[in-house]
Amino acid sequence: MSNMKIEQLHYFREAAKWQSLSVAAEKNYVSQPAFSAAISKLEKELNVTLLQRNRRGVTPTSVGILILEKINDIFNSIQDIENIARDSN
């Protein structure tokens, strides 16, 4: 089992959204090297390449797109949990 963290999933999601590691890192108030390292660690833990990197930025690979869909489901579920908790008070 992987030791992936929510933060890594969030960073991957942000990189795919902004199609840039540096822009995504800046938007998340994280240094670009730390941001990139977190995504690289996630790729290593999953043993897949999630992002195609080039000079113009990044794009999700085909497996990255599939994983991104699941990550979006996870974050939607987290939002649902927060809404339930908020509404119960």
Side-chain angles (χ1 to χ4, degrees), residues 16-30:
K17 173 183 174 181
W18 295 104
Q19 297 185 340
S20 167
L21 294 173
S22 58
V23 171
E26 182 179 321
K27 298 277 186 187
N28 285 274
Y29 307 101
V30 179

Side-chain angles (χ1 to χ4, degrees), residues 1-69:
M1 177 160 234
S2 172
N3 288 324
M4 71 179 120
K5 308 217 178 324
I6 290 286
E7 180 179 79
Q8 291 170 305
L9 302 178
H10 173 70
Y11 287 175
F12 168 55
R13 184 177 173 198
E14 288 288 293
K17 173 183 174 181
W18 295 104
Q19 297 185 340
S20 167
L21 294 173
S22 58
V23 171
E26 182 179 321
K27 298 277 186 187
N28 285 274
Y29 307 101
V30 179
S31 72
Q32 192 274 330
F35 190 89
S36 295
I39 294 173
S40 293
K41 184 176 180 188
L42 178 62
E43 290 177 315
K44 189 177 280 187
E45 289 172 359
L46 296 175
N47 196 32
V48 296
T49 301
L50 297 170
L51 295 170
Q52 184 67 43
R53 295 153 173 88
N54 60 52
R55 280 184 238 175
R56 291 173 293 182
V58 296
T59 54
T61 61
S62 56
V63 71
I65 290 169
L66 295 173
I67 290 172
L68 188 58
E69 290 173 8

Side-chain angles (χ1 to χ4, degrees), residues 73-87:
D73 291 344
I74 290 167
F75 280 94
N76 287 335
S77 292
I78 290 170
Q79 185 63 55
D80 290 345
I81 290 166
E82 292 172 344
N83 291 341
I84 290 168
R86 184 193 65 239
D87 293 346

